Amino acid sequence: FRRGLPVLSLLLWLCAVYFVGIYLFVGGFLLVRLEVNRTSTCGDVLHPGEEPGDFCRAQPRFRRAVVLIIDALKIDFARFDPSNTAPRPYENKLPVLEENVSSKPLQSRLYPFRADPPTTTMQRIKGFTTGSLPTFVDVGNNFASSAILEDNLIHQFGQMGKRVVFMGDDTWESLFPKKFYRSLPFPSFNVKDLHTVDNGILQHLYTTMVGDDWDILVAHFLGVDHCGHRYGPDHPAMADKLTQMDGVIRSVIDRLQNDTLLVVMGDHGMTDTGDHGGESQKETDAALFLYSPSPIFQAPLSQNEPDVVPQTDLVPTLALLLGTPIPYSSVGQVLLPLFSPHQQTEGAVGGLSQLEALWINAKQVNRFLETYSSMAKDIPPESLSQLKEEFARLSAEYFTSVKEGRSPSPHLASSLQAYLTSVRDTCRATWARFNPLKMAAGLAILASACLMCFVMSELSLLLLRENASGLKAPVAVALTVGVCAGAAQLLTRGYIEAAWCLAACAFGSEIPFFWRACRLKTPAVSKNGAKPLKLSRWLTPRHLLVPPLVVPLLRCASLLSDSYVIAEGRVVTFLVLSLVLYIPIHLNWNDLLLPQSLDPLKSAGLLPSPILSPSTVRKESNTLLACFGVLIGIMYLSLSFHGCREEQGFCQPSPFLSPLSRLQDSQVKNLYYILSVISLGICTYLLRHCLCHYGNLNSSSGTVFTAHWILPLLSVCLALHWAVSATPEDSFRKLAELIRMAQLALPRAAFCLLGLGLGLIWLDPVTVFVKSRTSASSRSSALPLPRYRASTGISPQAELRHLIPQIYQRMRRSLDPGELSGGTEADNRPTVEAYGLGTVYSAPVLLFCGMLGIGLLLLHPEGMALSFLLLLLEMGALLHIHASSTTLSGMHGAQSGDFNVPWTTVVVWSLAVTQFFHATGHLPTFPSIQWGAAFVGFPDGHTGTILPALLVTLNTFASHILFAVSCPLLLFWPLVRGSRSGEEGEDAVMEMRLRENPQQFSSALLQLSTRYLFILGAQVFSSVCAAAILRRHLMVWKVFAPKLMFEALGFLVSSTSLLIGVTLVLRVDMAVGRWFKRLIPDASR
Amino acid sequence: MWDHEIRAMASAHAVIAASVFVATVAPAVFVPGFSVYGAHLLWICSVSGAVTAVSVAVFWLLGVSPPTKKHTLGYKLSRLFRSCLYVLLSCLFFHAVVVLYGAPLIESALETFSLAVLLTCLTTLRCLCVLGPNVQAWIRVFSRHGAMSVWDTCLQITVACTLVGAWVGAFPIPLDWDRPWQVWPVSCSLGAMIGYLTGLVAAPAWIHYHRKQLTYKCK
Ligand SMILES: [Zn+2]
Ligand SMILES: [Zn+2]
């Protein structure tokens, strides 16, 4: 294990650096907020004050309200400048607002209305109904549906018995299901469609307004926003759209009654290109127009007229004007100009006075702050305590002024306002702002981690050879730098943020590595000139335009485009196919695919004579082409298991994705069940056959026990479980109890079997069967013995080629040099036959993967068994192609002594992960997560959250896990397969060659893992880049941010699985070493 | 060194390119409302036909094709028959490959097949003209040392350019730009054609600039 430790620690360190990068970026990009699931009611007692009914104390100022939301109504669109003689298409198109503001100053106002980022429609609707600052991830929100669970205005209106009529953007319908008295949603998905929603609203708006069965009317127009996305603001279509809106507002104003408030607002602005989502002022500044047929404003130009109205402020204002409680989580403050400045007599129509409104508002915000800070700790404690003190001071002041009966000073009102503003600013700083510094640091760390992976994979041998002391320097530097960063933070800011310390550690640890790598390069070149590492020579188009480099580049580039992310499944399949096609073409280009003997050039002596015999070449190339055909077929079939994103309009999800219990037709159900069971059977059979074929099933170790008993038992369990869960509940009334039992017990038994099997493999991985032969024939070694004995009687499967007597001899020689010098060869003639020694490494890994695969299949819908079979076959085909091409291209371990896995193979392997992510019915979107996995074996639900989260993660990232764990097989397979072609005795050592070159073995293992990590890391990096660059793209919260989260989580799972795989290999290596040690004393006796 | 052959190649390519141009423009005269996107299948037909006819004629006139061993009518007929068979098989092969790469299986089979026909005319036909109906030789040509004449090198370049062009042509299809040339298989066939034309230009140029390095064994 000493040998494996550097490999493992280097990999761990790499992964840690990646994780820190991802953590930093995500911390700056995805803002997380806890949802407070409490609601306000009229009877709430707001401290201090103690009298209930604060919210509903006064007569409401308005009975009804019309809220017209014009999506993306930027403030620039709403302003009117009469001096502008040559207006642009978006300027001066809404004169109705200016006309009203100037002609009826007591009835109307126009304000800039500032939204908080993310400025996307859904987050904004959440924002101006809850009064809070929604982030991308509102914890507590269930991902499966997007309904708002937090307290909100619509809920409050419903509580107060107001009839809310909604028309327009159908996002509302999904956010507030069943909350409306009447609802007329129109599809909002097609951005190119400018008119459907608007015309739909206009058909019903006026008739509804004239009628009397509504109290709150919400109409959400989408035309302006879609026009911006399609043409940009500076386009004649925008002029038409805004003019249409002008007409709409005019008609609505004409139909208003005295008790009705009109609110015209934009949910966000837009950039000059018509996009939104980010935090620039062009995106955040929308328009807010308030109008009432009767005067509400006290003076044409009030003293405390705000310059800009934050979007959160609409919620408390509307709530108090309409006489409903302010939603619990609102952090807005009331718009003072809408309230009368002086105390009014009880029961007057005027409603609350300014100070009363502010006081209620402040108490409500204080209550929310207290509740939130008891739930979550993300608000900095010192600002929290400051706010508390401020509120205590203000309430004391308020009570003294009320007691003394004097009119409160204007100073108190402005202090209350200042308090509310500082609460909102604190919350905003915590929730609603990207942290560009963290994002940049995360990007930098990820980029350097990728570079480190690349350097490590190129220098793996040198690193392992010259670096016996391991990671002492990086760890020391990292700790020093981390502590320094912490101390610096403590000195400058007074508190420590762990993220920055981690970042400093990650950066710090990289410095010594790169420094050493730079120094390492120089001797590397001088030692063997054949390996030039000069960058300039690498940057020629001939080196850069090779498919193994172009395909990952294309893959990374494809993550930057929303269309490609949406079509990811097909795109990845296309790329994998292209790269696989490159393998035979490349071999043919190098004259390696066809036997050389046909070539007349060979006789001319122009080419070096081939290493392999023509028959071998023919056999290998036939294998390669056959596997290639199989692979292509599999990839084509795998396309039929894809799910569908909502963006893919005419797509039909695969029929295999729905669980059997949902199928109605029993004939089809039976067919699917049989298909699934057959594929499961084939999977199991193939695994066992492969082990058996290489003679690994003869011994009596734990692994063999697993293969013999646990694997079939697991499959049977699975098949029974499918059968039970597919039976319709009402068909066997009498057996209902039994079925329920089975639904609980079968999957749990399968989990136990899986755990047992994996544990046994881990504990006892050596699958070698030893047969000692002390026959006379071996004594009389003067005769040249037949090197191999057919092993009659022991196992028919263990064939000739798997007996490896030489191994033992070699090992002995290498272990006991003293004996060799004196003793004669004759006495040390092999007396031991070892079955399955040639595949001693790959057998446990293979079985481990197979068991894991069947276990993961348990978490999937039944139909996915076919897909898992395809996955297994694709793995096999890829391994065979890799082995054959390695043999054909003469990169045989025996010749060169190194076991490099070429980039092409690693790239295909890592792209296949994404391919099968899609082909097992997954998609990088939250609605497509297969939640059913959480209830496998737990049909009655869970109490905790860790177990279901684990099960869903295992289900989602099944292909990541399988491909990562089986990654070391790429290293072994050429050796396993390669021995077949070389019939000479020396070649029959198979994987024992790895043991003979321990240095090369660990370096190849390190290289393989770092290459794999590099490709995965590059994908994470590019999806992180996509999220950072396109953070104000229309699709950022729909496509890029979920993609980033899936990619990051996938990387996490992949790297962990890879570490498990590598550790398993090292564990086997250790066990084999112990096995040899045990063997030698036995034999020498 | 092979100035004569390079010149012949350049002029042959010029003729083929001109025929492509004519085949693109000419249908507009006869068919009202013809455009490359709008009547794409017609365009593919006319271009394929033109390339086929002109290539066969040019290569026959130049005498590039491998010398036939026997001159009996029966042998020639069987060669012709085999050539036709290979063309058909190659169409099916390309169709299968394109479907495997993700083209719809049933919906637009005609479009897919017309793309396969175009690819056959641009690649397989040239192989037939230069190497004769001999698959072994075709496979052999596409290796580092496989080219045995300037024409073989030229074949390598044009075929590679055409196929890469068709491959690159698939990239714009998933984008949501809603352009007429994104419709299947317009971008792929345009890509293949552009690749082919590039190959026609690039092959003589490349051979001209590398004529010092090129050495061929006699056939
Ligand atoms: Zn919007
Ligand atoms: Zn929009």
Side-chain angles (χ1 to χ4, degrees):
Chain A
F1 201 65
R2 231 179 322 118
R3 194 138 39 77
L5 208 59
V7 176
L8 213 57
S9 53
L10 278 173
L11 285 179
L12 262 175
W13 171 43
L14 263 180
C15 293
V17 173
Y18 270 117
F19 294 167
V20 169
I22 291 172
Y23 172 69
L24 264 182
F25 183 86
V26 170
F29 178 72
L30 291 180
L31 305 139
V32 178
R33 182 180 64 108
L34 280 184
E35 275 184 7
V36 178
N37 51 355
R38 293 213 211 161
T39 51
S40 309
T41 54
C42 255
D44 279 356
V45 181
L46 291 175
H47 292 278
E50 307 301 336
E51 76 273 34
D54 258 340
F55 286 134
C56 314
R57 187 196 299 166
Q59 193 76 14
R61 174 70 180 78
F62 291 99
R63 192 169 67 82
R64 307 201 292 183
V66 177
V67 182
L68 297 186
I69 298 149
I70 301 176
D71 207 288
L73 181 70
K74 198 177 172 180
I75 181 66
D76 298 5
F77 299 171
R79 287 203 174 106
F80 188 84
D81 181 8
S83 63
N84 188 350
T85 48
R88 311 210 54 91
Y90 58 88
E91 283 174 335
N92 289 359
K93 292 297 180 299
L94 291 172
V96 58
L97 306 181
E98 176 63 25
E99 280 166 22
N100 277 303
V101 168
S102 51
S103 65
K104 306 171 191 163
L106 295 183
Q107 288 164 254
S108 55
R109 283 283 190 283
L110 175 67
Y111 297 114
F113 193 39
R114 184 159 294 166
D116 300 288
T119 49
T120 53
T121 301
M122 204 223 270
Q123 314 293 334
R124 284 304 95 224
I125 295 176
K126 273 189 180 182
F128 62 71
T129 52
T130 60
S132 183
L133 303 162
T135 60
F136 175 57
V137 186
D138 290 339
V139 174
N141 181 356
N142 55 342
F143 284 120
S145 95
S146 48
I148 297 183
L149 302 177
E150 263 185 313
D151 194 8
N152 59 66
L153 267 186
I154 306 295
H155 174 77
Q156 290 298 342
F157 289 144
Q159 289 282 341
M160 297 298 290
K162 291 190 186 292
R163 293 160 295 176
V164 183
V165 176
F166 168 75
M167 49 188 75
D169 181 355
D170 59 1
T171 314
W172 285 73
E173 193 55 44
S174 64
L175 290 177
F176 305 101
K178 296 180 191 140
K179 291 272 184 189
F180 297 118
Y181 175 70
R182 202 147 65 81
S183 152
L184 298 159
F186 299 98
S188 64
F189 182 67
N190 187 359
V191 174
K192 301 213 164 69
D193 176 5
L194 305 190
H195 300 297
T196 305
V197 177
D198 293 4
N199 293 345
I201 296 172
L202 291 182
Q203 270 185 3
H204 302 282
L205 180 64
Y206 306 131
T207 48
T208 309
M209 273 190 75
V210 171
D212 205 36
D213 58 343
W214 60 278
D215 293 306
I216 311 288
L217 178 66
V218 179
H220 191 143
F221 294 90
L222 275 181
V224 174
D225 176 61
H226 284 189
C227 184
H229 286 302
R230 184 151 184 206
Y231 302 112
D234 210 355
H235 192 276
M238 185 61 92
D240 296 345
K241 207 72 224 177
L242 289 173
T243 309
Q244 183 192 14
M245 288 301 124
D246 185 69
V248 172
I249 298 169
R250 274 176 210 279
S251 325
V252 169
I253 286 178
D254 288 343
R255 288 174 175 79
L256 284 179
Q257 290 169 9
N258 267 345
D259 60 350
T260 311
L261 174 71
L262 170 67
V263 180
V264 180
M265 57 184 272
D267 57 345
H268 48 74
M270 62 170 75
T271 61
D272 293 337
T273 55
D275 296 319
H276 55 90
E279 49 191 324
S280 73
Q281 194 163 338
K282 283 181 172 152
E283 294 155 276
T284 54
D285 278 12
L288 173 68
F289 174 74
L290 297 166
Y291 176 86
S292 152
S294 59
I296 36 168
F297 296 96
Q298 301 309 315
L301 256 178
S302 173
Q303 285 292 344
N304 40 15
E305 198 75 7
D307 293 334
V308 173
V309 177
Q311 210 172 54
T312 46
D313 291 3
L314 186 69
V315 171
T317 310
L318 276 185
L320 291 186
L321 283 177
L322 290 158
T324 55
I326 304 175
Y328 199 95
S329 321
S330 160
V331 292
Q333 63 172 290
V334 288
L335 256 177
L336 282 192
L338 285 157
F339 296 87
S340 62
H342 307 296
Q343 199 90 31
Q344 302 217 332
T345 48
E346 286 291 314
V349 187
L352 296 162
S353 76
Q354 289 186 352
L355 193 66
E356 281 171 330
L358 269 177
W359 174 237
I360 294 169
N361 193 187
K363 285 203 286 186
Q364 170 262 329
V365 165
N366 178 58
R367 177 181 67 168
F368 166 69
L369 208 60
E370 276 176 2
T371 316
Y372 187 83
S373 61
S374 69
M375 284 167 58
K377 302 282 170 247
D378 51 357
I379 298 178
E382 65 274 20
S383 47
L384 205 62
S385 60
Q386 229 166 30
L387 288 172
K388 262 183 196 156
E389 277 167 31
E390 176 71 8
F391 181 74
R393 196 180 62 75
L394 287 173
S395 59
E397 194 176 332
Y398 180 83
F399 281 122
T400 48
S401 73
V402 166
K403 250 177 223 158
E404 289 164 20
R406 63 181 155 87
S407 65
S409 63
H411 174 70
L412 180 60
S414 58
S415 329
L416 279 171
Q417 271 186 303
Y419 166 73
L420 287 169
T421 310
S422 60
V423 170
R424 192 184 55 226
D425 289 347
T426 309
C427 290
R428 186 180 289 157
T430 318
W431 300 327
R433 197 162 288 167
F434 291 131
N435 191 335
L437 207 60
K438 267 192 188 173
M439 283 161 68
L443 272 173
I445 290 179
L446 277 178
S448 64
C450 284
L451 187 66
M452 200 157 79
C453 257
F454 186 76
V455 171
M456 219 183 260
S457 82
E458 294 302 309
L459 300 177
S460 61
L461 189 60
L462 284 168
L463 271 176
L464 284 178
R465 190 178 289 158
E466 306 201 358
N467 157 33
S469 64
L471 288 161
K472 270 176 199 153
V475 167
V477 173
L479 283 180
T480 328
V481 175
V483 169
C484 286
Q489 279 185 44
L490 208 59
L491 284 179
T492 52
R493 293 198 289 180
Y495 61 96
I496 294 180
E497 204 173 337
W500 288 114
C501 291
L502 285 175
C505 283
F507 269 126
S509 68
E510 283 170 359
I511 295 164
F513 172 80
F514 281 123
W515 186 63
R516 211 172 47 207
C518 285
R519 280 201 325 167
L520 269 176
K521 266 182 194 176
T522 3
V525 175
S526 61
K527 231 184 271 172
N528 48 345
K531 208 180 172 188
L533 283 156
K534 268 191 190 143
L535 200 65
S536 55
R537 283 197 57 179
W538 261 89
L539 285 176
T540 55
R542 178 170 302 187
H543 278 112
L544 286 180
L545 283 178
V546 288
L549 206 66
V550 168
V551 167
L553 263 181
L554 284 175
R555 160 79 182 134
C556 290
S558 78
L559 291 172
L560 292 167
S561 151
D562 57 325
S563 317
Y564 279 110
V565 175
I566 288 170
E568 192 187 34
R570 298 185 81 93
V571 170
V572 169
T573 314
F574 180 89
L575 289 178
V576 172
L577 197 56
S578 307
L579 195 53
V580 173
L581 194 62
Y582 165 77
I583 295 174
I585 290 178
H586 183 71
L587 281 174
N588 187 45
W589 178 251
N590 286 333
D591 293 317
L592 293 166
L593 190 63
L594 293 178
Q596 286 284 302
S597 55
L598 293 176
D599 201 325
L601 292 182
K602 196 198 124 197
S603 52
L606 199 91
L607 295 169
S609 60
I611 308 152
L612 302 163
S613 63
S615 66
T616 316
V617 171
R618 197 165 298 133
K619 211 169 94 187
E620 288 293 338
S621 45
N622 284 344
T623 319
L624 188 135
L625 292 178
C627 289
F628 180 69
V630 170
L631 188 67
I632 287 178
I634 288 166
M635 274 196 264
Y636 188 71
L637 288 180
S638 79
L639 287 178
S640 55
F641 293 93
H642 284 198
C644 284
R645 295 177 69 113
E646 58 171 316
E647 290 91 344
Q648 296 169 310
F650 43 84
C651 165
Q652 277 292 322
S654 159
F656 296 102
L657 273 172
S658 62
L660 284 186
S661 48
R662 289 212 200 129
L663 286 178
Q664 298 300 323
D665 189 349
S666 66
Q667 202 107 46
V668 176
K669 197 188 254 185
N670 289 342
L671 183 71
Y672 275 22
Y673 179 72
I674 289 168
L675 262 180
S676 302
V677 171
I678 287 177
S679 0
L680 179 65
I682 295 176
C683 278
T684 316
Y685 170 75
L686 280 179
L687 275 172
R688 279 204 47 174
H689 175 76
C690 187
L691 292 176
C692 206
H693 179 72
Y694 289 110
N696 289 103
L697 289 187
N698 296 311
S699 72
S700 56
S701 75
T703 307
V704 176
F705 177 76
T706 308
H708 265 308
W709 298 108
I710 298 183
L711 183 65
L713 213 58
L714 185 64
S715 305
V716 170
C717 252
L718 202 53
L720 284 177
H721 167 61
W722 288 341
V724 168
S725 60
T727 43
E729 278 172 17
D730 46 353
S731 59
F732 302 104
R733 283 279 158 77
K734 289 174 187 165
L735 298 176
E737 197 56 33
L738 194 70
I739 287 176
R740 263 175 44 81
M741 271 274 293
Q743 258 175 352
L744 197 75
L746 280 172
R748 288 190 184 184
F751 286 139
C752 290
L753 281 176
L754 182 66
L756 183 69
L758 296 184
L760 277 176
I761 295 175
W762 196 271
L763 288 176
D764 191 7
V766 178
T767 54
V768 182
F769 178 70
V770 182
K771 186 190 165 204
S772 296
R773 294 197 306 120
T774 49
S775 64
S777 65
S778 86
R779 299 267 160 164
S780 61
S781 57
L783 316 169
L785 276 175
R787 280 188 153 163
Y788 297 105
R789 280 286 171 111
S791 54
T792 50
I794 290 180
S795 151
Q797 296 97 0
E799 289 175 34
L800 188 75
R801 57 178 167 271
H802 309 300
L803 308 179
I804 310 170
Q806 272 79 6
I807 303 306
Y808 170 59
Q809 194 181 11
R810 276 159 176 271
M811 281 302 143
R812 218 162 142 186
R813 261 189 230 148
S814 60
L815 288 169
D816 309 313
E819 193 186 347
L820 187 72
S821 56
T824 54
E825 272 284 304
D827 285 304
N828 300 335
R829 224 42 225 176
T831 52
V832 169
E833 288 175 335
Y835 294 88
L837 190 59
T839 49
V840 69
Y841 289 103
S842 50
V845 178
L846 194 68
L847 190 61
F848 196 84
C849 287
M851 295 282 293
L852 215 54
I854 290 176
L856 291 173
L857 177 57
L858 177 64
L859 300 175
H860 280 78
E862 294 86 342
M864 283 297 118
L866 283 168
S867 169
F868 271 72
L869 174 65
L870 290 184
L871 190 149
L872 188 78
L873 286 175
E874 175 163 334
M875 271 187 184
L878 272 175
L879 286 173
H880 279 293
I881 289 178
H882 166 55
S884 296
S885 74
T886 311
T887 316
L888 283 174
S889 54
M891 295 194 312
H892 218 274
Q895 277 83 33
S896 51
D898 62 343
F899 310 100
N900 284 348
V901 180
W903 276 106
T904 315
T905 317
V906 183
V907 171
V908 172
W909 200 258
S910 52
L911 289 185
V913 173
T914 316
Q915 191 211 330
F916 268 99
F917 174 74
H918 287 271
T920 43
H922 299 288
L923 290 168
T925 58
F926 293 118
S928 71
I929 292 177
Q930 300 175 358
W931 296 106
F935 301 103
V936 174
F938 301 90
D940 308 322
H942 298 263
T943 46
T945 52
I946 295 173
L947 195 60
L950 182 74
L951 289 176
V952 170
T953 310
L954 287 178
N955 161 286
T956 307
F957 298 107
S959 98
H960 292 76
I961 295 171
L962 289 177
F963 276 97
V965 170
S966 59
C967 195
L969 285 179
L970 286 175
L971 179 61
F972 303 134
W973 217 254
L975 299 167
V976 172
R977 285 285 324 282
S979 68
R980 268 209 204 160
S981 50
E983 295 86 353
E984 319 310 321
E986 286 300 309
D987 277 347
V989 288
M990 295 163 91
E991 285 171 6
M992 279 301 107
R993 205 175 286 140
L994 291 169
R995 251 197 98 74
E996 290 164 24
N997 304 310
Q999 194 94 54
Q1000 267 84 7
F1001 178 25
S1002 16
S1003 96
L1005 198 60
L1006 179 65
Q1007 188 182 44
L1008 176 66
S1009 324
T1010 44
R1011 282 186 172 175
Y1012 190 69
L1013 279 181
F1014 174 77
I1015 304 286
L1016 294 181
Q1019 289 180 36
V1020 174
F1021 178 71
S1022 72
S1023 77
V1024 161
C1025 276
I1029 297 167
L1030 302 168
R1031 60 182 184 278
R1032 56 193 47 162
H1033 190 273
L1034 168 66
M1035 287 292 179
V1036 72
W1037 302 112
K1038 256 200 143 100
V1039 173
F1040 293 114
K1043 178 67 197 153
L1044 165 69
M1045 294 191 62
F1046 273 82
E1047 199 68 48
L1049 259 176
F1051 181 84
L1052 226 76
V1053 173
S1054 276
S1055 51
T1056 318
S1057 315
L1058 183 70
L1059 283 174
I1060 292 175
V1062 170
T1063 318
L1064 178 64
V1065 170
L1066 295 174
R1067 161 88 191 104
V1068 177
D1069 190 41
M1070 199 167 73
V1072 171
R1074 211 174 283 154
W1075 180 80
F1076 271 115
K1077 260 187 204 142
R1078 216 175 47 220
L1079 199 65
I1080 286 159
D1082 283 358
S1084 56
R1085 241 176 261 143
Chain B
M1 209 178 280
W2 305 285
D3 276 348
H4 171 70
E5 272 186 314
I6 294 172
R7 214 166 294 141
M9 183 188 298
S11 40
H13 284 186
V15 171
I16 295 173
S19 78
V20 170
F21 180 72
V22 170
T24 310
V25 175
V29 180
F30 302 110
V31 184
F34 173 84
S35 73
V36 175
Y37 315 138
H40 191 65
L41 293 188
L42 184 64
W43 178 76
I44 288 184
C45 287
S46 90
V47 168
S48 311
V51 169
T52 312
V54 174
S55 303
V56 170
V58 163
F59 282 101
W60 184 67
L61 283 174
L62 284 173
V64 178
S65 316
T68 47
K69 287 166 214 148
K70 288 178 255 172
H71 288 278
T72 58
L73 187 66
Y75 181 70
K76 278 183 178 164
L77 272 179
S78 90
R79 261 177 82 91
L80 190 67
F81 173 73
R82 273 201 300 166
S83 301
C84 291
L85 185 70
Y86 280 6
V87 167
L88 189 66
L89 284 179
S90 135
C91 286
L92 293 177
F93 171 75
F94 275 121
H95 188 99
V97 168
V98 170
V99 166
L100 286 173
Y101 262 106
L105 183 63
I106 299 159
E107 274 162 45
S108 41
L110 187 62
E111 280 85 352
T112 311
F113 191 72
S114 62
L115 176 66
V117 168
L118 181 70
L119 287 174
T120 303
C121 292
L122 299 185
T123 57
T124 315
L125 205 78
R126 211 179 162 87
C127 287
L128 272 174
C129 290
V130 176
L131 300 168
N134 179 357
V135 177
Q136 287 274 325
W138 296 4
I139 295 173
R140 193 245 319 143
V141 160
F142 292 101
S143 68
R144 199 189 295 275
H145 305 284
M148 292 191 182
S149 72
V150 195
W151 292 101
D152 289 357
T153 312
C154 170
L155 181 70
Q156 285 177 356
I157 294 172
T158 45
V159 168
C161 283
T162 310
L163 294 180
V164 170
W167 184 70
V168 170
F171 289 174
I173 294 175
L175 294 170
D176 57 354
W177 297 344
D178 280 352
R179 298 293 154 86
W181 48 266
Q182 282 183 296
V183 177
W184 174 252
V186 179
S187 59
C188 277
S189 47
L190 282 184
M193 188 41 84
I194 291 167
Y196 182 65
L197 292 176
T198 315
L200 290 185
V201 176
W206 192 87
I207 293 170
H208 181 73
Y209 284 110
H210 291 80
R211 63 188 186 279
K212 296 273 158 54
Q213 288 99 303
L214 286 173
T215 49
Y216 296 114
K217 285 275 136 187
C218 55
K219 286 192 183 181

